[in-house]
Amino acid sequence: MPEAPIARIEPGDDPYRWLEQRDAPEVLAYLEAENAWMESELAGQAELRENLFQEIKGRIRETDLSLPVPWGPWLYYQRTTAGDEYPRHYRCPRPADGSLTIDVGAEQLLLDPNELAAGGFLSIGAFSISPNHARLAYSLDTSGDEVYQLFVKELGSGEIHALPFEHCDGSMTWANDSQTLFFGELDETHRPHRLHRHRLGSATADAIFEERDGRFFLSCYRASSERQLILLLNSKTTSEAWVLDADTPEAEFRCLAPREEGHEYYVDHGKLAGDWHWFIRSNQTGINFALYRAAEATPTREHWQEQIAHDEARMLEGVSLNVGAFVLSLREGGLPIIEVHPEGASAYPVQLPDAAYSLYVQDSLEFDSPVIRLRYEALNRPAQVRQLELVGGAQLVLKETPVEGPFDADAYVSQRLWATAVDGTRIPISLVARREVLGTPAPLYLYGYGAYGESLDPWFSHARLSLLERGFVFAIAHVRGGGELGEAWYRAGKLENKTNTFGDFIACAEHLIARGYTTAAQLAVSGGSAGGLLIGAVLNQRPELFAAAIAEVPFVDTLNTMQNPDLPLTVTEYDEWGDPAEPDVFERIRAYAPYENVRAQAYPALLVVAGYNDSRVQYWEAAKWVAKLRATRTDDHPLLLKTDLGAGHGGMSGRYQALRDVALEYAFLIKVLGLPER
């Protein structure tokens, strides 16, 4: 019978630093022992885990067809088949009548990830059809470390060419000649830093741009008009864009506006009043961004003209361009809003049925398309793809993600609550439960993130229904550090304000308890990556407030990681967390870093998940944290570490593999909360 592994302690400031010795036999043995301990602790739940897996799988339409995307003479789409981990990619000729009807007899298989994965890990980076529709450029990561191999497939003959380049970031961007590709190279810290140009048939590529500042990432993409290529260089706080006519790939990129610290701007190319223009989303007049335009021939900053002014109440998050309209993605009052500006007509907002939801432009389709597609979902409403007529605003639901078996959206209540932080700030909470559950304290699963300005808009989950059907409440804490209430909300939860993120999450937990939704003995919390840092910090501060926690690929060894600039991403993270080479920043991070602040106290039951090939959050962060917790805590609650030895930051890559991981986590919660299995 396995026993809980006890990691040896080395003398020095960091007693578990030896766990950072990747591939050392002692380290692998320790991780395997932790995996064995986790399996032994949950062995009695094998049947429950299988039941949960089958339950979740049973709600998902395993054989399905994605909504076809029309482009040029083809419809492009994906098909999932029962038993397969990945969808296959297809195309068929586009019907002359303008419909989306698929001619199965004439369809062409473009790529089969199931064959490529061969049962192992697989992540597709680029999937890019050439402008003449004759070739497919794609990139594959087969370990989870986010380093990609590049391929080009001749769609006429089926011949595949592996491009002879290493350390690639996975991006592949076509020029209009359908012969020239641009791709990014990673440096030793896993940062895309160099742009290469490759002409098919050549064994080499030209390095045409290098970003030397370690804070900046490099990326290249095609503009909405398909007439221009855009090279974006951006840190967490500053950006710079260079542009190139897609018809002249051998020419040089030109800069729109040289970088200035704190100035962020993002560029696209489209048409206005019959003429080609640049559209620029910039924060030069305010943190919530404004929209500018400039004639195609004069894109530099002195020629920018204001199109949409900065608004203190609304964050301008993005712009989508079509030939007859531009569409703004806004954020107001904690919710996403789509606003359409048709040429020659009044602007209008997209109307939606729910009070709390997720909404974004999924596809602007071809540049001359009179319609775009929106993706819309809520905590109790499966995702819908809605077609929006740009002129007039008529909506049509083209596809709703099916839920197999009995399901009634009206059986669930979705709510927006507001907690109050210690400084008086109101913190939004999104919540869903079965109607009959509300009114008495129930098991509650509280999720949080709160970093990088990312917004956790409410989303539907087939898997989550297994918790809701067992009487759980599910809630999302929209804490500061995220982007739900705009740029100011983000800035109020980063750098010197980072502790607001943790205080907000605790305030949300206390609010849910005080309002009778749950009790401390029924409250489970979860977060991943930077959200794992959040979970680690609040467990140190208020362990008695929670009964259980799940931390996935958690960024918990924050201080040590931020002191090591040789690790992937560290330097680029200084704008988010600060540089601990500065004494005041060192003390600030040390005061909240989860690993440093583990102390002799009772902690809730804890399941920690890591990916051995994770290049963003190294596997040892979770391993060191668990080792220190096991040696220091005063309780005997379950403390489990699961390291996926063949995966990276996103966990296992196949859809069934991912569902089994969810089933394991749900079974863990049912066990530690003492709930009936059915």
Side-chain angles (χ1 to χ4, degrees):
M1 184 71 178
E3 294 184 355
I6 303 298
R8 67 176 176 85
I9 296 175
E10 282 188 345
D13 294 338
D14 187 356
Y16 300 107
R17 188 178 296 277
W18 63 271
L19 284 166
E20 299 179 13
Q21 298 170 25
R22 179 184 293 277
D23 297 335
E26 182 185 20
V27 172
L28 288 170
Y30 175 78
L31 297 178
E32 289 166 353
E34 285 283 6
N35 282 348
W37 174 246
M38 184 271 299
E39 289 292 353
S40 70
E41 283 288 275
L42 299 180
Q45 296 186 294
E47 183 179 357
L48 173 61
R49 282 161 62 176
E50 181 62 25
N51 288 342
L52 283 165
F53 170 72
Q54 294 296 339
E55 215 175 89
I56 296 167
K57 183 165 70 77
R59 296 192 193 97
I60 295 170
R61 184 164 296 174
E62 295 182 76
T63 298
D64 200 7
L65 195 67
S66 72
L67 198 60
V69 175
W71 184 36
W74 301 92
L75 296 178
Y76 290 89
Y77 52 96
Q78 298 178 28
R79 179 180 284 116
T80 55
T81 303
D84 287 340
E85 294 283 3
Y86 307 93
R88 292 176 173 84
H89 298 259
Y90 292 87
R91 72 178 180 183
C92 74
R94 188 173 181 173
D97 62 5
S99 72
L100 299 177
T101 303
I102 290 173
D103 182 352
V104 176
E107 74 179 4
Q108 179 183 9
L109 176 63
L110 303 177
L111 197 69
D112 183 358
N114 300 284
E115 180 181 327
L116 297 171
F121 182 94
L122 185 75
S123 176
I124 298 176
F127 185 94
S128 181
I129 300 292
S130 61
N132 67 358
H133 299 267
R135 300 180 175 94
L136 165 65
Y138 64 97
S139 58
L140 302 178
D141 167 17
T142 54
S143 69
D145 63 359
E146 298 182 69
V147 179
Y148 291 82
Q149 175 67 56
L150 310 183
F151 300 87
V152 173
K153 180 177 182 179
E154 298 289 341
L155 297 180
S157 66
E159 186 178 3
I160 296 174
H161 305 279
L163 303 188
F165 309 118
E166 298 180 339
H167 310 297
C168 299
D169 69 351
S171 64
M172 301 178 79
T173 305
W174 289 102
N176 281 348
D177 61 4
S178 296
Q179 293 281 340
T180 306
L181 278 167
F182 295 85
F183 65 90
E185 179 189 348
L186 300 168
D187 68 8
E188 63 278 2
T189 68
H190 220 82
R191 176 181 65 96
H193 76 121
R194 190 177 289 144
L195 185 70
H196 292 266
R197 179 178 55 218
H198 169 69
R199 186 168 178 83
L200 298 184
S202 170
T204 62
D206 299 322
I208 60 172
F209 200 99
E210 183 172 359
E211 175 53 62
R212 298 182 182 276
D213 190 327
R215 298 176 304 149
F216 283 74
F217 279 49
L218 171 153
S219 61
C220 182
Y221 56 95
R222 291 171 66 85
S224 296
S225 67
E226 306 287 352
R227 291 167 51 95
Q228 299 284 339
L229 304 179
I230 299 168
L231 170 61
L232 179 66
L233 312 164
N234 65 294
S235 72
K236 297 287 192 298
T237 60
T238 305
S239 65
E240 179 179 270
W242 297 62
V243 298
L244 174 66
D245 190 316
D247 288 332
T248 59
E250 296 296 324
E252 294 185 358
F253 283 85
R254 55 177 173 162
C255 183
L256 265 66
R259 71 187 63 169
E260 293 180 6
E261 190 63 36
H263 181 213
E264 294 181 74
Y265 71 97
Y266 303 93
V267 179
D268 202 354
H269 185 258
K271 236 176 188 178
L272 186 68
D275 294 324
W276 294 106
H277 281 79
W278 296 99
F279 288 76
I280 307 105
R281 185 174 67 93
S282 165
N283 69 350
Q284 66 180 2
T285 56
I287 64 172
N288 281 343
F289 288 82
L291 181 64
Y292 301 85
R293 60 179 172 85
E296 182 180 64
T298 54
T300 51
R301 192 172 180 181
E302 63 269 20
H303 298 290
W304 296 2
Q305 301 175 40
E306 188 176 84
Q307 186 77 27
I308 301 291
H310 174 264
D311 187 335
E312 291 185 0
R314 303 202 304 178
M315 172 74 174
L316 175 57
E317 290 191 320
V319 183
S320 303
L321 303 180
N322 288 75
V323 70
F326 61 87
V327 178
L328 305 182
S329 296
L330 303 161
R331 186 163 292 277
E332 184 175 8
L335 293 171
I337 294 171
I338 298 292
E339 187 175 272
V340 182
H341 290 249
E343 193 166 318
S346 299
Y348 63 88
V350 174
Q351 300 296 325
L352 297 163
D354 294 295
Y357 54 83
S358 172
L359 173 70
Y360 59 89
V361 176
Q362 176 172 292
D363 199 335
S364 55
L365 300 176
E366 296 162 300
F367 184 64
D368 61 357
S369 172
V371 299
I372 62 173
R373 291 177 181 174
L374 308 177
R375 183 180 175 91
Y376 174 75
E377 61 189 308
L379 287 170
N380 63 331
R381 190 185 302 276
Q384 299 174 339
V385 179
R386 294 178 169 227
Q387 177 176 285
L388 175 72
E389 292 184 13
L390 293 169
V391 177
Q395 294 185 49
L396 175 65
V397 176
L398 297 178
K399 183 178 178 66
E400 179 170 293
T401 304
V403 180
E404 299 292 349
F407 173 74
D408 177 10
D410 292 333
Y412 304 89
V413 177
S414 176
Q415 297 180 348
R416 173 57 64 93
L417 312 175
W418 295 85
T420 303
V422 291
D423 63 358
T425 302
R426 299 179 74 229
I427 314 300
I429 304 170
S430 297
L431 178 145
V432 66
R434 286 193 63 90
R435 289 185 181 277
E436 66 270 18
V437 168
L438 296 179
T440 57
L444 191 145
Y445 187 120
L446 179 62
Y447 189 80
Y449 187 71
Y452 306 112
E454 294 293 328
S455 299
L456 288 182
D457 290 322
W459 71 97
F460 181 84
S461 165
H462 289 74
R464 187 191 300 137
L465 294 176
S466 286
L467 291 182
L468 299 182
E469 290 300 303
R470 285 171 170 78
F472 270 80
V473 179
F474 176 82
I476 306 167
H478 302 288
V479 296
R480 282 175 283 185
E484 287 88 343
L485 275 79
E487 180 69 14
W489 195 252
Y490 166 42
R491 295 187 182 189
K494 64 182 289 193
L495 295 172
E496 68 274 9
N497 299 316
K498 188 61 205 170
T499 55
N500 284 336
T501 305
F502 317 136
D504 290 357
F505 192 83
I506 289 169
C508 290
E510 291 177 329
H511 181 84
L512 292 165
I513 292 170
R515 294 297 184 274
Y517 287 95
T518 191
T519 64
Q522 297 171 293
L523 178 56
V525 293
S526 177
S529 195
L533 184 158
L534 164 64
I535 297 304
V538 301
L539 293 187
N540 284 332
Q541 293 177 24
R542 294 290 304 279
E544 79 289 351
L545 198 57
F546 316 107
I550 297 172
E552 299 186 273
V553 293
F555 181 39
V556 284
D557 195 16
T558 318
L559 184 61
N560 289 317
T561 292
M562 293 306 298
Q563 290 183 97
N564 188 350
D566 294 331
L567 286 175
L569 309 184
T570 293
V571 173
T572 66
E573 297 288 296
Y574 289 159
D575 288 333
E576 182 75 19
W577 314 100
D579 182 354
E582 301 171 19
D584 59 329
V585 175
F586 178 92
E587 293 301 330
R588 187 173 75 221
I589 296 175
R590 184 168 69 170
Y592 67 73
Y595 178 61
E596 269 69 29
N597 288 281
V598 169
R599 57 184 183 271
Q601 61 181 353
Y603 284 85
L606 182 59
L607 172 62
V608 184
V609 180
Y612 190 64
N613 297 325
D614 192 341
S615 61
R616 302 190 189 197
V617 178
Q618 302 294 325
Y619 73 89
W620 64 69
E621 300 216 14
K624 289 168 62 178
W625 183 45
V626 168
K628 191 171 184 180
L629 280 165
R630 186 165 283 130
T632 309
R633 64 185 183 142
T634 61
D635 63 274
D636 60 358
H637 297 138
L639 174 58
L640 307 177
L641 171 64
K642 176 178 181 283
T643 304
D644 290 321
L645 296 173
H649 196 65
M652 301 303 290
S653 57
R655 60 171 174 165
Y656 295 116
Q657 296 168 332
L659 294 184
R660 289 197 180 277
D661 286 344
V662 172
L664 183 148
E665 294 183 9
Y666 287 2
F668 167 78
L669 292 180
I670 290 168
K671 169 186 171 71
V672 299
L673 295 180
L675 302 175
E677 295 190 356
R678 295 187 180 275

